[in-house]
Amino acid sequence: MYESGEDYLEAILRLQLENGFVRSVDVARKLAVSRPSVSRAMGLLEKEGYIEFSMGNMIKLTATGQAMAEDVYGRHKLLTAFLQKITGVPEDQAEENACRVEHDIDADIVAGIQKWMNENSEPKTEN
């Protein structure tokens, strides 16, 4: 999967979580791209079996698309949290950097970061 395809799948998932539905115009706004760019990307993602269109031209992730989007978004959230924890930078700065890294990072590095985060998270206290 190409980087921009991952960005589109992640945006679709996030919009779906935020709004319960996804339209092309919402994706264009979220990614700050033109509607023709979204249209082209949606055509490719549909052809590759990652999305489908439902009634009213709503965008829906297929099972394959959902799994891919969740993987990308999971890396994004993990890297954002990791960068914040180890550097102390604000969330928006950590998120911006996580966006650039999430597409190129090796799976074993992600697993190592996840292990480190699990071992170094503060235990939750119950009141």
Side-chain angles (χ1 to χ4, degrees), residues 39-50:
S39 182
R40 259 190 315 278
M42 294 305 106
L44 289 171
L45 291 173
E46 183 181 34
K47 183 179 176 184
E48 294 170 1
Y50 293 109

Side-chain angles (χ1 to χ4, degrees), residues 78-97:
L78 174 67
L79 289 167
T80 299
F82 177 70
L83 292 172
Q84 275 189 278
K85 187 166 186 78
I86 65 168
T87 66
V89 299
E91 182 178 4
D92 60 335
Q93 184 179 2
E95 188 167 9
E96 184 180 311
N97 281 271

Side-chain angles (χ1 to χ4, degrees), residues 74 78 82 108-120:
L78 174 67
F82 177 70
D108 56 339
I109 301 295
V110 172
I113 291 171
Q114 183 65 64
K115 181 178 181 225
W116 188 90
M117 289 293 285
N118 291 342
E119 292 170 352
N120 291 281

